[in-house]
Amino acid sequence: MNCAKSTSNTTSSNSSNGIPVVLGMGMTVSGKAVEFEQVDALNISKVRNLNSVLFPVHYSSGFYKSLTQGGQFAQLCTFQGKYVGTIACRRQRLGFADTPAVGGGGGGGGGGGFNGLHTSAVAVPEAYELYMMTLGVLAPYRRLGIGQMLLANAVSAAEQDPLIRRIVLHVKIDNDDALRFYHKHGFTTIRLVERYYKNIEPPHAYLLEYRLR
């Protein structure tokens, strides 16, 4: 168990996307400061830097631009003033992750490639899912519970949106550490998705789900 303690916690609803976000949230791990901040135009470069180290794929400029737009949940984490972790999720119509055509290029510990917000331009979906695109923590700062905190923030935000039914993500079939992490925190494996990744071996992934309601 990590010694994590919340020092302040403020939630706010982002009217542009309906997903509540955590603002000004501070915690401590073994007495050392951990802070979380929403991703915006001022700190997006920090996400780029972290992703370049954490994941074996290159994310497009469109992916990073999307993180500051509606329909997203994206956070950075600092430990003793250093950026050490990040999470990025998008809200999409319920069931989109089950579409066979979905695929492409996701990060090793978290989700898949970026394909837009996946909401209908004709009608607003009655229900959504939160798709986890990335979740990662720099190697020297793992085992401190920081990944668990980032995941908990995303779950908390999704729980506050009554239209979000579940959280989903893809994990490489050989990423045993990630699979253990998500199973430990309430996710279940739904199915195998063959040839999900591009230019990565093995190319197959598992689709995982966390049911909210």
Side-chain angles (χ1 to χ4, degrees):
M1 289 290 290
N2 66 80
C3 301
K5 179 176 66 176
S6 176
T7 57
S8 64
N9 207 347
T10 303
T11 59
S12 172
S13 177
N14 185 334
S15 60
S16 65
N17 59 36
I19 302 176
V21 298
V22 181
L23 301 174
M25 179 177 174
M27 305 187 78
T28 59
V29 175
S30 300
K32 298 178 180 179
V34 177
E35 299 289 338
F36 301 92
E37 56 188 65
Q38 297 305 122
V39 173
D40 57 28
L42 297 178
N43 60 24
I44 192 68
S45 64
K46 304 299 183 182
V47 181
R48 286 180 180 270
N49 293 341
L50 285 169
N51 285 355
S52 69
V53 176
L54 291 168
F55 306 119
V57 296
H58 173 73
Y59 289 97
S60 68
S61 58
F63 169 85
Y64 292 105
K65 182 179 180 181
S66 76
L67 298 186
T68 62
Q69 298 176 345
Q72 309 290 324
F73 176 87
Q75 281 191 336
L76 281 160
C77 174
T78 63
F79 180 72
Q80 293 186 289
K82 177 182 175 64
Y83 287 96
V84 300
T86 181
I87 186 172
C89 310
R90 66 170 177 248
R91 190 176 71 163
Q92 60 191 26
R93 64 175 174 79
L94 182 64
F96 187 87
D98 299 307
T99 305
V102 173
F114 172 70
N115 296 301
L117 297 182
H118 303 304
T119 55
S120 172
V122 178
V124 176
E126 295 182 358
Y128 293 89
E129 60 193 18
L130 193 66
Y131 183 79
M132 191 179 305
M133 298 181 286
T134 60
L135 169 59
V137 178
L138 294 177
Y141 303 93
R142 294 170 189 167
R143 311 293 182 185
L144 295 176
I146 292 174
Q148 177 182 340
M149 295 179 210
L150 286 164
L151 177 60
N153 289 349
V155 171
S156 177
E159 287 176 336
Q160 294 177 60
D161 185 337
L163 295 181
I164 295 179
R165 300 289 188 262
R166 65 177 185 170
I167 301 173
V168 289
L169 76 154
H170 290 89
V171 177
K172 285 185 65 189
I173 60 170
D174 62 348
N175 194 338
D176 295 333
D177 288 342
L179 289 169
R180 281 193 293 267
F181 172 81
Y182 290 112
H183 289 157
K184 177 182 178 180
H185 292 97
F187 284 77
T188 57
T189 298
I190 300 176
R191 62 184 175 90
L192 172 69
V193 183
E194 295 185 347
R195 295 178 296 279
Y196 174 76
Y197 295 103
K198 298 176 182 178
N199 304 317
I200 296 179
E201 292 294 335
H204 315 306
Y206 289 118
L207 178 64
L208 275 63
E209 173 189 74
Y210 181 97
R211 296 298 301 189
L212 295 169
R213 51 184 65 88

